[in-house]
Amino acid sequence: MSSPARTTRELTLRALILGALITVVFTASNIYLGLRIGLTFASSIPAAVISMAVLRALGRSSVLENNIVQSQASAAGTLSCVFATFPGLIMTGIWSHFPFWQTAGISLAGGIAGVLFTVPLRRALVADSALPYPEGVAAAEILRAGNSGENKKGLNALIKGSTAAALFTLGSNGLRLLSDSVSVTASAGAAVFQITGGLSLALLGAGYLVGLTGGLAMLFGCVLAWGGGVPWLTAHTPNPEHLVPSAFAQSVWLHKVRFVGAGAIAMASVWTLVELAKPVARGLQSIVRTRHQTSTGPEGDKDLSFRSLLALLGLTTVMLGSLFTFFLTPSSDPIWPVVIASVLFCIIFGFIMAATCGYMAGIVGSSSSPISGIIIIAAMLSALMLLALEAFRLMPAHMMLDQQKLATGFTILILSAITATAAISNDNLQDLKTGQLVGASPWKQQIALIAGCVVGAAVIPPVLNILYQAYGFAGYMPRPGMDPSHALSAPQPALITLITKGIFTHSLDWSMLSLGMGLGCILIIIDLLLRKRALALPPLGVAIGIYLPPSVSVTLAAGAVLGWAIKRHLHTKNIQDDSTTLPQSLPEHDAGTGTMLASGFIVGESLTGVVLAFISCTLGKDDALSLAAWVPAPVASAMGLLVFCLLALWFYRTIVKDAR
């Protein structure tokens, strides 16, 4: 596709202002949802839809200007992933609230590092890569459809998909008349078998965009977890609390099998980085080679200048060093070895995590990319780094006193910066893929991404404070007399705190993580053998399938299989219609309709999720619209599954009908 003319409006003041306003909304919503249920929504696509509506009303809008808005807003919405770490400082007793400058400063430093790292990664993972980037492609389709008066069919498909997903999400997550998942549990002796599918049109659409290879790899991981790991462990693990089989299976997966997935992700991530070493190195060499030629070359392939990157790296280093020093002061012991080691760890390991998360986002999308698994790995490595400093007597003695409270808190602070870096890279590469498809200028997008980090970092501390003071966290209430039933569960911070403290107190079980690393090595060998036969089993995809909830993996795989069935049907029909011609690819109209319908599923569910989050946040209840009391649970499950299957059938028939 040819790039738009460079006279087109792109990085404008009104785009930055609108992006900042959307940022406030999405950041607050994501933090609330993350602390309430442990999940967030990708803000890129909803931001693109809102931007098109607002800028079109203002007049003289362009696809590139809309792209700037969605890039900025999605960056800030993603920065809210620090909700997974900062509350741990409350849980350890280090903080009693979220101080603005420390919370915002760490978030901003990590976010800027994430933008910085996406520059060489853009060339390795976007410009020179065939990764599908489902949400990035969906956002590009939305921007192009909204900007083109000729693409009425595509825009109509987008609207239809969005409406269907919005109504289904309202009925399931809002009114709760329809179940949002189905689960079947069976026992064979002491072993418990369970299969769960999420009734989410967004996941179905994402699976369609991901493709068959990635979807089946995740499904294989899910089968390993729930067809092998969970049954075996439930048969050999005591159940002292006498949980019902379904709850016991979930507990075993959460506390044991999921760590196998985390270990496999760690090993597969290392292998992925080895395979990415050459393209990443080429990206870095290209930046150095063109550092004096930033004004030349195609606009659609220009990143921030080499001087700008050095300045960003210097700013990030100074900010992290200052904030770490402030956190550890006062101390009678020298703290500079710990500060220097921690800053270097954030920069070096942050880049590794950025590449890993970016690659995973390219496979399964930002929403389904298992940032939590990466955070677990980073937590362990951060704590081990501090233990190594202690072994060499380079860590202040007071950090290991009082049950290692300060060491645990400092690890969580380091982890917060790495989380921000990984999360931003995870989302930014989707945005840069969108920019590549619509002909945007990468350096202008990167400026917008930094602007999004600035606004998001300013919003995060007050939102965290408001939510903590209003609800508290499970087991940690800011004031006596508060109702614990309304507390935010904060699952990720609680898990991270438990792991970090377990490492320092030498009480963490390493067996599952070691098993996962061994499994990761086996998956890598299998994939290498399959490649010789022109097949593939992406080890990272399998590891993700083990780590993610089955409701995500199964539905993504269902979308991938549905996409394969559609393409096979159309391929067969083309052969029957013209036996002398073997089509090399799908007809363009099918690809457009399928992509737009799938994108609409993601748009509709995302926007409805934003609305429901604000209603819940305003009323202080996550079931404010619920009518579940009027519908028995079995009826809601049956109705949810029936409506979901009918919508999947409608998706199939619509694409096939359009191809005719």
Side-chain angles (χ1 to χ4, degrees):
M1 190 192 80
S2 59
S3 299
R6 287 299 129 196
T7 55
T8 302
R9 299 165 66 95
E10 186 168 4
L11 186 63
T12 62
L13 179 60
R14 69 176 188 173
L16 293 175
I17 293 174
L18 177 59
L21 294 176
I22 298 176
T23 284
V24 176
V25 175
F26 285 175
T27 301
S29 299
N30 260 336
I31 291 175
Y32 174 79
L33 284 179
L35 291 174
R36 174 66 70 183
I37 62 175
L39 297 175
T40 61
F41 58 88
S43 51
S44 178
I45 291 173
V49 175
I50 295 171
S51 172
M52 285 191 297
V54 174
L55 292 182
R56 179 175 294 175
L58 294 176
R60 297 178 60 206
S61 65
S62 73
V63 64
L64 300 184
E65 191 178 22
N66 285 313
N67 182 56
I68 288 293
V69 175
Q70 72 87 15
S71 296
Q72 178 182 352
S74 66
T78 302
L79 195 63
S80 61
C81 283
V82 292
F83 79 83
T85 53
F86 276 127
L89 290 163
I90 298 283
M91 298 174 179
T92 57
I94 301 291
W95 286 354
S96 59
H97 69 289
F98 298 94
F100 180 84
W101 290 112
Q102 291 186 65
T103 307
I106 289 291
S107 301
L108 179 58
I112 291 176
V115 176
L116 169 67
F117 296 154
T118 55
V119 174
L121 292 177
R122 181 187 72 84
R123 298 178 183 273
L125 297 179
V126 178
D128 302 329
S129 171
L131 292 174
Y133 286 102
E135 289 162 1
V137 173
E141 290 289 344
I142 292 163
L143 289 171
R144 289 193 296 215
N147 189 68
S148 173
E150 300 177 359
N151 195 4
K152 285 188 176 181
K153 181 181 288 188
L155 189 56
N156 287 337
L158 173 67
I159 293 172
K160 288 179 182 179
S162 299
T163 303
L167 291 175
F168 184 79
T169 304
L170 177 63
S172 58
N173 295 342
L175 302 178
R176 302 192 180 182
L177 297 174
L178 307 173
S179 176
D180 60 359
S181 65
V182 289
S183 181
V184 177
T185 304
S187 299
V192 180
F193 295 84
Q194 188 177 77
I195 181 171
T196 303
L199 304 180
S200 164
L201 291 179
L203 288 175
L204 190 75
Y208 176 88
L209 297 173
V210 164
L212 188 64
T213 301
L216 290 183
M218 293 181 63
L219 182 61
F220 180 62
C222 184
V223 170
L224 286 178
W226 291 90
V230 170
W232 193 88
L233 287 171
T234 50
H236 296 84
T237 301
N239 184 8
E241 298 180 6
H242 302 290
L243 299 172
V244 297
S246 59
F248 184 45
Q250 284 290 333
S251 176
V252 167
W253 172 77
L254 183 64
H255 295 101
K256 291 184 178 294
V257 178
R258 201 175 195 186
F259 284 91
V260 175
I265 287 176
M267 191 56 61
S269 299
V270 172
W271 177 247
T272 299
L273 290 171
V274 171
E275 293 191 306
L276 287 174
K278 288 185 178 179
V280 170
R282 285 198 301 267
L284 291 170
Q285 289 171 1
S286 176
I287 295 170
V288 174
R289 189 168 54 248
T290 60
R291 65 186 184 274
H292 300 306
Q293 306 171 6
T294 55
S295 60
T296 63
E299 183 73 12
D301 196 43
K302 281 179 19 181
D303 293 296
L304 288 173
S305 68
F306 185 70
R307 287 185 179 180
S308 298
L309 296 181
L310 288 180
L312 286 174
L313 181 60
L315 176 63
T316 301
T317 302
V318 171
M319 289 180 65
L320 289 174
S322 301
L323 291 164
F324 290 162
T325 300
F326 182 82
F327 186 87
L328 295 176
T329 305
S331 172
S332 58
D333 301 313
I335 60 175
W336 62 265
V338 175
V339 171
I340 292 175
S342 300
V343 171
L344 290 175
F345 182 82
C346 287
I347 298 298
I348 298 173
F349 187 72
F351 182 79
I352 295 173
M353 290 296 97
T356 303
C357 290
Y359 185 84
M360 288 190 292
I363 297 175
V364 301
S366 301
S367 301
S368 301
S369 184
I371 290 288
S372 297
I374 296 298
I375 294 174
I376 290 173
I377 297 169
M380 293 187 295
L381 293 178
S382 301
L384 291 175
M385 177 199 68
L386 292 183
L387 287 176
L389 291 175
E390 182 194 24
F392 287 100
R393 299 185 179 181
L394 295 175
M395 191 164 70
H398 74 288
M399 289 183 65
M400 300 300 291
L401 300 177
D402 191 14
Q403 296 185 337
Q404 295 81 31
K405 184 170 77 172
L406 186 58
T408 301
F410 188 64
T411 302
I412 293 173
L413 196 71
I414 296 172
L415 190 59
S416 298
I418 294 175
T419 300
T421 299
I424 286 294
S425 297
N426 180 68
D427 183 77
N428 284 2
L429 288 170
Q430 292 279 359
D431 295 333
L432 292 170
K433 180 65 176 181
T434 301
Q436 180 196 38
L437 294 175
V438 301
S441 304
W443 71 272
K444 292 180 181 178
Q445 264 193 285
Q446 288 152 6
I447 290 176
L449 294 170
I450 293 174
C453 291
V454 172
V455 177
V459 172
I460 288 169
V463 171
L464 283 172
N465 276 316
I466 289 171
L467 292 176
Y468 177 56
Q469 294 299 323
Y471 304 112
F473 304 138
Y476 304 90
M477 309 302 287
R479 298 180 305 278
M482 295 182 67
D483 186 355
S485 65
H486 292 161
L488 299 170
S489 60
Q492 281 97 337
L495 178 60
I496 292 301
T497 303
L498 179 66
I499 290 173
T500 306
K501 184 177 289 187
I503 291 175
F504 284 115
T505 57
H506 307 288
S507 59
L508 183 65
D509 181 8
W510 288 91
S511 59
M512 293 294 109
L513 288 165
S514 301
L515 180 62
M517 292 178 184
L519 176 61
C521 293
I522 295 173
L523 292 172
I524 290 169
I525 295 172
I526 293 174
D527 183 50
L528 291 174
L529 294 175
L530 288 175
R531 289 183 191 180
K532 295 180 179 180
R533 298 176 177 267
L535 299 173
L537 183 68
L540 197 52
V542 178
I544 291 171
I546 298 173
Y547 180 83
L548 286 178
S551 57
V552 175
S553 300
V554 170
T555 310
L556 271 168
V561 172
L562 182 61
W564 170 83
I566 292 170
K567 294 175 183 178
R568 183 175 177 82
H569 174 89
L570 296 175
H571 182 85
T572 303
K573 184 166 181 59
N574 277 338
I575 295 176
Q576 292 173 348
D577 291 345
D578 185 359
S579 59
T580 63
T581 303
L582 184 64
Q584 299 300 314
S585 61
L586 284 177
E588 286 298 323
H589 52 268
D590 164 65
T593 301
T595 299
M596 293 304 287
L597 279 174
S599 301
F601 285 167
I602 299 173
V603 170
E605 187 166 320
S606 298
L607 287 177
T608 307
V610 173
V611 174
L612 294 176
F614 271 102
I615 293 174
S616 298
C617 209
T618 301
L619 301 180
K621 298 172 61 180
D622 61 356
D623 59 350
L625 304 179
S626 176
L627 301 177
W630 299 88
V631 180
V635 175
S637 296
M639 289 174 57
L641 180 60
L642 176 62
V643 174
F644 180 80
C645 291
L646 289 174
L647 288 171
L649 179 62
W650 169 78
F651 178 76
Y652 181 98
R653 291 176 62 87
T654 300
I655 299 174
V656 171
K657 181 180 178 181
D658 180 71
R660 292 172 184 168

